[in-house]
Amino acid sequence: MSKQGLQLIRPEIQALSAYHVPDPGDLIKLDAMENPYSLPEELVQQWLSELADAPLNRYPDPAAKQLTNKIRQYMEVPSESELMLGNGSDELIQIIAMSVARSGQKIMAPDPGFVMYKMISIFVGMDYIGVPLKDDFSLDMSAMLAGIKQHQPAIIFLAYPNNPTGNLFDEADIIEILNAAEGLVVVDEAYHPFACTSFMNRLNDFENLLVMRTVSKMGLAGLRLGVLAGSKILLNEFDKVRLPYNINVLTQISALFALQHADIFEEQAASIRQQRTWLFNELKTIDDFDVYPSAANFILVRLKKGGANQVFEALKKSGVLIKNLNSAGGMLTECLRITVGTADENQVFIQALKKII
Ligand SMILES: *Cc1c(COP(=O)(O)O)cnc(C)c1O
């Protein structure tokens, strides 16, 4: 690439590094909050036979009507609210941001938080304001309220539960933010299957509330399907920014099929929640770890005496891939994040860890 061409790229884009995903090879994958279980074999055959009829020569239904109706019922979206589907919830974050982006406008979120909020702010040319969480990872309400007053953010993102810390913010705090904010407040419920609490039933109470879900963490990360619920007035505008046919025909058929068999995913989520408790208790027995309570399908630990990089590498050598957050710095210094796997995977992980520590 000529130097001249590179000069065209905005400096803030040049300063970014691309979202890095390591190649897991044969490692046990406890790094990306995926559901470790696959579809039962008898369902795989039924699913394939539905896919066999997919009209690949045609554009998909642009409104994904059948799937949207199923999601509305399954996720108990209030009838007054509108729904929009995205190619993963990442795309929905991008659509919301693109709809409001003006230079000088701000996106605010607690820090540490989900990295895509900041990345997408930069993509669309908005300023990102990260408000530090308290030491126990709860919201620092005086800082949040002061930040809202000072910056008047167009959007506030609150991951509920938060990634990478795993905790649920206090409900009353979120309501206070909804009341204080003049901009939009997106409650990102990516981990809903493991948290079992939601702001979906409050959509009618707040005009500025948007609730976001995804099927990724419940066991369909490969499909790329996110869901946004909120007021009709707002979603009508967002829908103009959505690229036509963003939900492909294979995803529409597969997600509809999966939600018709939602009981399977609910059983899987229940066993992940059980395994989360087992893993939490095991991690708690390690003196050198601070272990943080989680309402998600992962657990964050901090190594009190350091050595996160070494433990991460040693686990990899023993065949287990987790997420090393040490390089993020700040409150995540010496932190590791472990996704809850199957009972067997969690055993292998704990045994390998105990040999290393
Ligand atoms: C994983 C995650 C997402 C991304 O979900 P996709 O639907 O897979 O794009 C969104 N928000 C949070 C907080 C997440 O952890």
Side-chain angles (χ1 to χ4, degrees):
M1 168 54 87
S2 74
K3 233 180 162 171
Q4 215 175 8
L6 192 57
Q7 278 168 1
L8 293 171
I9 307 298
R10 288 185 276 143
E12 64 271 28
I13 302 294
Q14 291 193 44
L16 291 173
S17 29
Y19 190 80
H20 172 68
V21 182
D23 179 1
D26 293 331
L27 298 174
I28 293 180
K29 240 180 139 311
L30 303 181
D31 66 324
M33 283 81 100
E34 291 147 332
N35 173 343
Y37 303 106
S38 44
L39 268 187
E41 189 51 38
E42 66 277 12
L43 282 190
V44 170
Q45 289 314 316
Q46 283 183 51
W47 167 57
L48 288 176
S49 72
E50 297 211 7
L51 283 181
D53 296 331
L56 287 184
N57 57 321
R58 302 291 179 196
Y59 283 107
D61 173 2
K65 276 183 295 298
Q66 245 192 314
L67 177 58
T68 304
N69 288 339
K70 183 71 198 170
I71 288 174
R72 179 178 280 286
Q73 171 220 334
Y74 177 66
M75 296 190 181
E76 298 177 7
V77 180
S79 56
E80 298 84 350
S81 300
E82 192 56 77
L83 265 192
M84 188 172 83
L85 307 187
N87 186 349
S89 41
D90 289 347
E91 189 192 34
L92 294 168
I93 300 169
Q94 190 183 47
I95 289 173
I96 301 167
M98 281 195 293
S99 306
V100 305
R102 286 180 224 202
S103 99
Q105 284 275 37
K106 285 152 186 150
I107 287 181
M108 178 181 285
D111 183 60
F114 183 45
V115 290
M116 291 312 291
Y117 305 149
K118 181 174 182 184
M119 297 279 275
I120 287 171
S121 310
I122 295 169
F123 300 165
V124 302
M126 292 176 75
D127 294 338
Y128 176 79
I129 313 284
V131 179
L133 292 171
K134 296 208 277 198
D135 283 346
D136 63 354
F137 298 136
S138 63
L139 287 168
D140 183 340
M141 283 305 287
S142 55
M144 286 298 291
L145 295 174
I148 291 170
K149 211 166 169 192
Q150 182 189 348
H151 298 290
Q152 292 292 318
I155 316 169
I156 299 171
F157 286 101
L158 298 170
Y160 186 72
N162 191 36
N163 172 13
T165 58
N167 57 310
L168 280 167
F169 297 134
D170 191 64
E171 215 179 298
D173 285 351
I174 296 181
I175 289 171
E176 204 174 342
I177 290 170
L178 277 160
N179 284 320
E182 284 177 45
L184 309 176
V185 178
V186 181
V187 176
D188 179 351
E189 299 184 347
Y191 298 96
H192 177 259
F194 317 105
C196 310
T197 177
S198 175
F199 273 70
M200 192 68 91
N201 59 2
R202 296 178 187 272
L203 278 170
N204 288 337
D205 302 339
F206 302 97
E207 279 177 358
N208 57 343
L209 171 63
L210 295 156
V211 174
M212 198 164 64
R213 297 267 185 96
T214 176
V215 301
S216 295
K217 313 286 154 70
M218 70 176 256
L220 300 166
L223 290 185
R224 308 304 299 130
L225 179 68
V227 177
L228 185 71
S231 82
K232 288 196 162 92
I233 295 172
L234 283 171
L235 269 77
N236 275 342
E237 301 303 316
F238 296 150
D239 201 45
K240 300 173 189 171
V241 177
R242 183 177 64 87
L243 293 177
Y245 315 118
N246 62 331
I247 311 299
N248 75 72
V249 67
L250 300 180
T251 294
Q252 290 192 30
I253 293 172
S254 303
L256 181 62
F257 177 81
L259 293 180
Q260 284 162 347
H261 299 88
D263 50 329
I264 307 249
F265 295 92
E266 274 155 25
E267 279 165 33
Q268 293 176 350
S271 68
I272 291 167
R273 292 194 302 265
Q274 263 176 9
Q275 281 297 308
R276 176 180 68 199
T277 305
W278 181 85
L279 197 58
F280 182 82
N281 291 333
E282 286 289 323
L283 289 166
K284 272 288 210 191
T285 65
I286 300 173
D287 285 340
D288 288 349
F289 281 11
D290 280 325
V291 188
Y292 296 96
S294 170
N297 64 339
F298 59 84
I299 296 175
L300 185 78
V301 300
R302 182 188 284 131
L303 280 70
K304 293 180 199 165
K305 295 179 190 153
N309 292 346
Q310 289 85 338
V311 171
F312 171 78
E313 289 300 334
L315 278 169
K316 216 161 128 182
K317 280 213 184 81
S318 325
V320 183
L321 182 65
I322 61 168
K323 177 81 176 176
N324 183 2
L325 295 165
N326 184 43
S327 63
M331 295 175 90
L332 296 176
T333 304
E334 299 299 344
C335 283
L336 299 171
R337 188 188 64 197
I338 305 105
T339 300
V340 180
T342 63
D344 285 351
E345 289 173 337
N346 300 334
Q347 285 279 0
V348 171
F349 161 70
I350 286 291
Q351 267 153 32
L353 182 66
K354 285 182 171 167
K355 272 189 202 143
I356 292 162
I357 296 287

